[in-house]
């Protein structure tokens, strides 16, 4: 029930400001929290189409992939976040947790 209210409000806001990447990210978070992973992914990808250099959005896509059980794709998303922001600690930690190689910049 709460998701449908949030979903309705977010979509209503997006009708007036469809190029607001932050709202698309928030909508993705809401979908992710209720395990609507395809909808979460679509929302995050929409946010990236507006703001393609936001490392947090790639981090969130990595979380979606991790929840799906695809650790290779999750690691690729986390590495993309690190390519944009090499000091993104959440992405570094996620790579380490997935036992993927991460060489920190020296």
């Amino acid at each position: 029930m709460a998701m449908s209210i949030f979903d309705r409000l977010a979509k209503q806001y997006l009708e007036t400001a469809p190029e607001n990447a932050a709202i698309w990210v928030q909508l993705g978070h809401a979908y992710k929290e209720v395990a609507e992973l395809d909808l979460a992914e679509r929302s995050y990808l929409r946010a990236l189409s507006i703001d393609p250099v936001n490392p947090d959005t790639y981090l969130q896509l990595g979380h979606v992939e991790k929840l799906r059980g695809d650790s290779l794709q999750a690691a690729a998303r986390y590495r993309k976040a690190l390519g944009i922001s090499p000091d993104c600690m959440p992405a570094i930690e996620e790579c380490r947790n997935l036992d993927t190689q991460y060489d920190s910049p020296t």
Side-chain angles (χ1 to χ4, degrees):
M1 182 65 127
M3 182 57 199
S4 64
I5 292 169
F6 177 82
D7 188 42
R8 216 173 39 237
L9 290 172
K11 287 179 180 178
Q12 183 178 20
Y13 179 79
L14 287 168
E15 285 177 11
T16 62
E19 298 302 308
N20 187 324
I23 295 298
W24 284 106
V25 169
Q26 291 305 312
L27 185 58
H29 293 338
Y31 283 135
K32 187 174 59 170
E33 288 299 314
V34 295
E36 291 285 352
L37 300 181
D38 290 342
L39 293 172
E41 179 182 40
R42 276 193 291 208
S43 296
Y44 293 136
L45 290 173
R46 179 69 173 106
L48 283 176
S49 75
I50 299 164
D51 181 8
V53 293
N54 186 333
D56 185 59
T57 308
Y58 286 102
L59 179 72
Q60 297 307 321
L61 281 166
H63 294 334
V64 168
E65 297 299 346
K66 191 166 100 172
L67 288 168
R68 287 179 172 151
D70 189 343
S71 58
L72 290 177
Q73 186 62 31
R77 300 289 193 176
Y78 297 141
R79 283 193 212 102
K80 182 71 175 177
L82 290 168
I84 296 167
S85 178
D87 61 345
C88 180
M89 285 308 298
I92 292 169
E93 289 302 315
E94 289 295 344
C95 283
R96 288 181 180 152
N97 290 339
L98 290 172
D99 292 324
T100 62
Q101 181 128 23
Y102 172 70
D103 295 321
S104 61
T106 55

